[in-house]
Amino acid sequence: MVQQAVQGPQAAYAKEMERLSAKESLLLAFKDAGGFKALVSGKTNDIQRIDVIERITALERLNPTPRPTTSPFLEGRWNFEWFGSGSPGLFAARFIFETFPSSLANLSKMDVFFKDGNAKVTASLGLLNSIESKFILQTKLSVEGPLRMKEESVEGVLVSPTVIEDRVPEQLKGALGQAANALQQLPAPIRDAVATGLKVPLSKLR
């Protein structure tokens, strides 16, 4: 009985150390692969991507939460450091990559907010280094098992861009002012629609 009492805490401690080691190993793999910026710019190679995926799988096996898909710890805001096949972040990123040339736009960050069986992915992008916008993807989640969830896209919205005036080149400021004046001349329903964002057909996200 004494020996079992000693081994119990030791086994739990060893398990926790293994989990922390796997987490640190994954963070190093992210760094070696160039992180989120390298992933979205296509600068990661196949070996780096496989290495990161394998380390993610290894860490998932050590998850102390038995049913993460129904855990209250899932709810809240999470930042994307990586995304792969089947990820809600992949659909949002695909829309941006297919809509805007890489020479004009860049994906700076993504996060996802989980609440009450729904997810909202927000992708922040910069256009021409002087315009900021966001693409928001709303999805509905259904639990298919302790480790698996099914995702259904509900709505995609491209938020009206925000111009960072101090970054606009001098030669473009005149044209920018004319565009802003033209926008104000639009009928109120159209102007309001532009201001609140452009809804994206979900067929573009398949």
Side-chain angles (χ1 to χ4, degrees):
M1 292 294 293
V2 173
Q3 185 179 14
Q4 290 179 353
V6 172
Q7 287 181 346
Q10 287 180 343
Y13 177 78
K15 192 74 172 180
E16 179 63 13
M17 289 300 99
E18 184 182 9
R19 188 183 69 83
L20 291 176
S21 177
K23 181 179 178 180
E24 185 65 24
S25 176
L26 176 58
L27 293 175
L28 289 174
F30 281 151
K31 184 177 180 180
D32 291 341
F36 182 82
K37 186 175 181 179
L39 176 66
V40 299
S41 62
K43 294 181 179 179
T44 57
N45 58 46
D46 290 342
I47 295 176
Q48 290 171 328
R49 287 192 291 271
I50 291 172
D51 184 40
V52 168
I53 292 172
E54 288 180 345
R55 293 171 193 264
I56 290 175
T57 302
L59 183 59
E60 286 177 339
R61 293 194 188 104
L62 298 171
N63 189 349
T65 305
R67 296 182 62 89
T69 55
T70 56
S71 170
F73 296 115
L74 177 64
E75 295 198 342
R77 188 173 303 279
W78 298 78
N79 293 325
F80 278 93
E81 296 293 339
W82 198 268
F83 54 83
S85 177
S87 165
L90 178 63
F91 297 112
R94 181 186 298 163
F95 167 77
I96 292 172
F97 297 151
E98 293 178 353
T99 304
F100 302 99
S102 59
S103 58
L104 299 180
N106 65 85
L107 179 58
S108 58
K109 67 176 182 177
M110 285 199 303
D111 62 56
V112 58
F113 182 75
F114 293 107
K115 183 69 175 178
D116 298 331
N118 297 288
K120 181 174 77 171
V121 179
T122 302
S124 301
L125 61 152
L127 304 171
L128 298 173
N129 199 37
S130 58
I131 301 175
E132 292 183 348
S133 185
K134 292 181 179 180
F135 175 65
I136 299 176
L137 175 63
Q138 300 273 4
T139 66
K140 185 175 181 59
L141 304 173
S142 55
V143 176
E144 294 192 329
L147 302 175
R148 183 179 176 85
M149 303 181 78
K150 181 180 179 180
E151 179 186 38
E152 180 183 358
S153 298
V154 176
E155 182 180 69
V157 176
L158 183 62
V159 177
S160 183
T162 300
V163 178
I164 307 174
E165 294 187 4
D166 58 352
R167 295 186 190 174
V168 177
E170 288 295 331
Q171 60 270 29
L172 294 180
K173 287 187 176 180
L176 178 63
Q178 293 176 7
N181 291 333
L183 179 61
Q184 294 303 317
Q185 301 303 318
L186 292 173
I190 298 178
R191 189 171 63 246
D192 293 342
V194 172
T196 55
L198 175 66
K199 290 188 177 181
V200 178
L202 295 181
S203 58
K204 286 183 174 289
L205 307 177
R206 302 303 181 191

